Amino acid sequence: SSPSHDPHLAMTDKEFDAVWVTYFNKPDIDAWELCKGLNTLVGYDLVPEQLNEVASAVHILEAVKDKAGPHREIYPYFTQELRPTLNELGIFTPEKLSLDNV
C-alpha cells in the first residue's frame, strides 16, 4: 500500500510510539520480527531508541550507513560520535565485522 494510506500516519506521535514500543518489547520477538520492524521504521526514516542486543545495534548501524547514501561524511561522523558508547558496550561496526563486504 502507498504511504498515504498507511494507518500509522493517522496516529498521534504518542500512539505511534506506543505501538512500536509494544512491538519491540514482546518477550518472544524473533529475529525475523525484529528485522521486519526495523525495516518498517527505516522506511519511515526512524529507528527505535534501544533494543538491548548487539546484533540489533549492528543492524541499526547498517541502516544508518545505507540511509546516508551519497552523503558519505554522515556515517563516519555518526560512528565517531558513538565510538565511546560502542567501545563501552563492546559493539563493533559492520566494517569491523566485515559485514560491509557481504
Side-chain angles (χ1 to χ4, degrees):
S1 71
S2 70
S4 62
H5 294 100
D6 190 327
H8 284 115
L9 296 179
M11 293 181 186
T12 66
D13 287 347
K14 189 173 183 177
E15 291 169 332
F16 182 88
D17 289 350
V19 166
W20 287 103
V21 166
T22 300
Y23 181 90
F24 286 111
N25 279 333
K26 289 189 297 189
D28 61 343
I29 191 168
D30 63 21
W32 186 88
E33 290 175 306
L34 175 66
C35 287
K36 181 178 185 264
L38 284 171
N39 287 332
T40 300
L41 291 177
V42 167
Y44 292 133
D45 285 334
L46 303 170
V47 293
E49 289 182 26
Q50 75 178 52
L51 293 171
N52 292 327
E53 181 183 87
V54 172
S56 300
V58 173
H59 187 70
I60 290 170
L61 291 172
E62 290 175 306
V64 169
K65 185 175 184 178
D66 182 60
K67 294 301 275 182
H71 306 285
R72 303 218 183 272
E73 71 281 0
I74 292 174
Y75 180 73
Y77 175 77
F78 182 80
T79 55
Q80 168 195 306
E81 295 300 304
L82 284 176
R83 178 64 46 216
T85 302
L86 295 173
N87 290 344
E88 178 183 334
L89 298 175
I91 297 171
F92 295 106
T93 62
E95 297 76 28
K96 182 76 171 175
L97 295 170
S98 299
L99 295 174
D100 58 328
N101 297 323
V102 178

